Amino acid sequence: MSDSSRDTAEGAGWGSAGRDAYRALMPQRTEKLSWLSPRTLWAARNGVLASWFGDPTGRTRGRWVARRTADGAPADKVIRRDDPDRFSFLVIGDTGEGDDPQYAVVPGLLKAGQDTRFAVLASDVIYPVGSADDYGTKFFRPYRDYPAPIYAIPGNHDWYEDLSGFMRVFCDDAPPLPPEPVPRPLTRAWLRSLLWHRPSPDDGRHLDEARELRSAPAQQADQPGPYWAIDAGPVRIIGIDTGLLGTVDAEQGAWLREVSRGPRPKILVTGSPLYVDGEHHPCPMEGGGTVDDLVRDPDHHYVAAIGGDIHNYQRYPVDVDGRTVQYVVAGGGGAFMHATHTIPRVSVAGVDERDFRCYPLRGDSLAFYSRLYGRRLRLRRFFTLTEAEATAVITERLGIRPARAPGTAARVTRRTRLVAGLLGTGRRPDRGKRFRLPVRKIYTQLFSPSSATYDPPFFKCFLRLDVAPDAVRLRCYAATGNRAQELDPPVEDEVTIPLV
């Protein structure tokens, strides 16, 4: 097995060369998505409109689900498979920007997942707005050689065109919903409808051609709607749709309560992680209660909750009344990298730095962003930190042991401290609260979404889960974009989850 980023800097992808394998999979021309482009921001406006004028996704989701049920989808939305008691599947989150980082995941995914029975895409299948015609280069082409079915749950970006592209691809080519009546003038709903982004009338004209890339019968996965449950071997995998604003509507909540019952071990897959960046986000449900209330209920037998939306890997083993539930962030499947160096020293729900895991390591994340902004601001000599310098300053600021021993001795200087502060580096909870929180918020919400890069290491990842009657083994595999990690994808984290 090749070195991981916890072993060596080379295992993290620093200083490696050669990236021909994934580039051979890509189309000759790719669109480089800019998250600072006014055109992109305007197309992706529905999330802001929903927060200002009310979120209509619950009602729209209900219309989609009613149509699928009328067309013959199972009313309980359970996909019943014939997998044996021992099988494997993949989880990939936040994939579809259609550029180098997404395609760099594919060679390792095909190798590590060659014997898996199916894959699950967890959140944000297509960026920026979930258009049907973007599925060719951002879904069908990159995963054309994956031989098994791919199921999906939508993220907020898939909702920016009212889920029409997602439903056409994953739900038996569902036709568009008829328009709703125009709301009463001068109301919040009326203002929202005036500004709402909708798919163009000719969106999807290339979809039939794109489908040919994944047309084998064994690759097909007709799912009953944007949320579903899969009974596979000894486990039930439940995928929920958290829409534009990270919430669950009343109808879906009632269904979730129903499919959560019973002694069968369960794994939740959601577009909004329940623990992330050292914080608890339990995910409210319309009408009362939270998703995490259901996960924590011992009668429901959840063993893990895996969420996308945040573009990195994190794991929190939380003790819940004497049993451990693994809360995982798995959004590193292709979109720009969300920083991990902004995560403060972890102390949440009994989980501390000894138990917490993340990828990329905080030092690698800080070094990555220091190089990126050194180039962008043309201040390379000032901003750029070596991975050893970044690891050293992270260790000092958080008061933790380095996750990887630096290859060369690195001294923490006034410059490295200043760069770390400017780039939003986390700190211990008892230090710098009045200064740290605003800087971190500005960094993560303004700078990070514009940080797509096209030079390895990319620090992407995917999960493989090996299911047995008594346990599930979860492994996080890295994808850096360098040939060494393509040929032998390193395991960045591994945990065995008991089922009994």
Side-chain angles (χ1 to χ4, degrees):
M1 183 179 296
S2 63
D3 286 346
S4 74
S5 69
R6 292 182 174 271
D7 299 319
T8 64
E10 290 74 19
W14 297 116
S16 301
R19 45 181 170 143
D20 294 335
Y22 83 79
R23 288 206 160 205
L25 304 172
M26 297 178 66
Q28 290 184 345
R29 298 182 62 183
T30 59
E31 175 189 359
K32 294 188 176 182
L33 181 61
S34 170
W35 288 104
L36 291 184
S37 164
R39 180 179 179 182
T40 301
L41 294 174
W42 178 244
R45 63 189 178 270
N46 284 1
V48 175
L49 295 176
S51 65
W52 287 354
F53 302 119
D55 184 3
T57 55
R59 184 176 65 253
T60 304
R61 183 187 297 115
R63 297 174 68 205
W64 281 119
V65 169
R67 169 174 283 184
R68 287 290 291 139
T69 303
D71 289 343
D76 61 3
K77 302 167 188 62
V78 177
I79 303 165
R80 294 171 173 87
R81 295 179 49 88
D82 60 354
D83 300 301
D85 283 347
R86 297 179 183 272
F87 74 98
S88 303
F89 69 100
L90 300 175
V91 177
I92 327 160
D94 298 87
T95 52
E97 286 195 0
D99 52 19
D100 289 50
Q102 179 179 8
Y103 280 86
V105 175
V106 175
L109 181 147
L110 293 177
K111 182 171 183 179
Q114 58 187 338
D115 60 340
T116 53
R117 304 274 297 194
F118 59 89
V120 174
L121 296 186
S123 180
D124 290 339
V125 181
I126 299 295
Y127 294 94
V129 294
S131 299
D133 276 331
D134 280 343
Y135 273 85
T137 57
K138 299 178 181 181
F139 173 74
F140 289 106
R141 186 182 183 100
Y143 310 121
R144 61 184 175 181
D145 294 325
Y146 180 68
I150 299 177
Y151 304 96
I153 58 169
N156 58 311
H157 288 268
D158 301 302
W159 268 101
Y160 287 160
E161 290 196 346
D162 287 340
L163 213 61
S164 59
F166 180 97
M167 295 297 292
R168 291 185 66 176
V169 170
F170 293 105
C171 298
D172 198 25
D173 205 18
L177 291 173
E180 290 192 286
V182 177
R184 187 163 52 89
L186 303 180
T187 62
R188 295 171 69 208
W190 178 76
L191 288 171
R192 184 185 64 217
S193 69
L194 288 180
L195 299 171
W196 199 253
H197 174 82
R198 297 177 177 85
S200 64
D202 61 345
D203 185 45
R205 62 189 182 280
H206 302 301
L207 194 53
D208 288 341
E209 179 184 351
R211 290 183 197 274
E212 293 299 317
L213 296 170
R214 278 187 53 85
S215 58
Q219 293 177 311
Q220 306 313 303
D222 181 20
Q223 62 187 56
Y227 57 92
W228 40 257
I230 298 174
D231 283 348
V235 300
R236 170 170 281 187
I237 304 157
I238 298 175
I240 62 172
D241 169 17
T242 55
L244 283 171
L245 301 182
T247 60
V248 170
D249 64 281
E251 180 182 350
Q252 184 180 187
W255 168 86
L256 180 59
R257 289 185 176 92
E258 185 64 30
V259 296
S260 295
R261 294 193 176 103
R264 191 171 193 156
K266 298 172 185 71
I267 298 170
L268 180 73
V269 182
T270 169
S272 300
L274 303 180
Y275 282 87
V276 59
D277 293 349
E279 299 173 350
H280 184 210
H281 297 271
C283 188
M285 297 193 297
E286 184 182 357
T290 69
V291 171
D292 200 33
D293 290 338
L294 301 181
V295 171
R296 298 172 69 91
D297 189 328
D299 292 337
H300 295 158
H301 299 275
Y302 278 94
V303 298
I306 303 171
D309 188 53
I310 304 301
H311 306 168
N312 53 45
Y313 173 81
Q314 303 173 42
R315 180 169 64 84
Y316 301 81
V318 176
D319 180 88
V320 180
D321 299 326
R323 62 191 178 93
T324 300
V325 178
Q326 299 289 342
Y327 291 87
V328 177
V329 178
F336 67 87
M337 185 188 86
H338 277 131
T340 58
H341 67 265
T342 60
I343 303 172
R345 180 168 172 164
V346 170
S347 180
V348 60
V351 178
D352 59 24
E353 286 290 336
R354 293 171 297 179
D355 308 312
F356 171 69
R357 295 289 183 272
C358 70
Y359 176 78
L361 301 179
R362 289 179 173 104
D364 289 329
S365 172
L366 179 57
F368 174 96
Y369 275 102
S370 74
R371 295 184 183 203
L372 180 64
Y373 283 101
R375 290 195 301 269
R376 288 190 171 183
L377 300 176
R378 299 186 180 181
L379 294 170
R380 297 190 187 194
R381 293 185 62 184
F382 172 73
F383 259 100
T384 302
L385 304 180
T386 67
E387 54 86 17
E389 289 174 325
T391 298
V393 74
I394 288 285
T395 301
E396 178 188 83
R397 286 175 69 94
L398 271 66
I400 60 175
R401 298 177 60 184
R404 176 181 70 238
T408 57
R411 186 167 60 93
V412 179
T413 65
R414 292 177 64 184
R415 180 184 71 89
T416 57
R417 291 189 183 103
L418 180 57
V419 170
L422 289 173
L423 293 181
T425 305
R427 302 190 73 172
R428 288 180 287 186
D430 58 338
R431 292 181 58 190
K433 289 184 179 179
R434 296 179 65 183
F435 174 73
R436 172 180 58 83
L437 291 176
V439 170
R440 179 169 173 251
K441 184 175 182 180
I442 291 170
Y443 180 81
T444 55
Q445 294 188 4
L446 178 60
F447 293 147
S448 187
S450 65
S451 302
T453 182
Y454 301 93
D455 296 313
F458 297 129
F459 298 111
K460 300 291 97 188
C461 61
F462 61 92
L463 306 185
R464 175 182 169 124
L465 287 86
D466 301 305
V467 179
D470 59 345
V472 174
R473 180 173 65 167
L474 182 152
R475 284 176 286 178
C476 171
Y477 284 90
T480 67
N482 287 312
R483 181 172 290 276
Q485 287 79 37
E486 287 184 327
L487 298 177
D488 188 11
V491 176
E492 286 292 332
D493 186 34
E494 180 173 346
V495 63
T496 298
I497 307 170
L499 294 184
V500 295

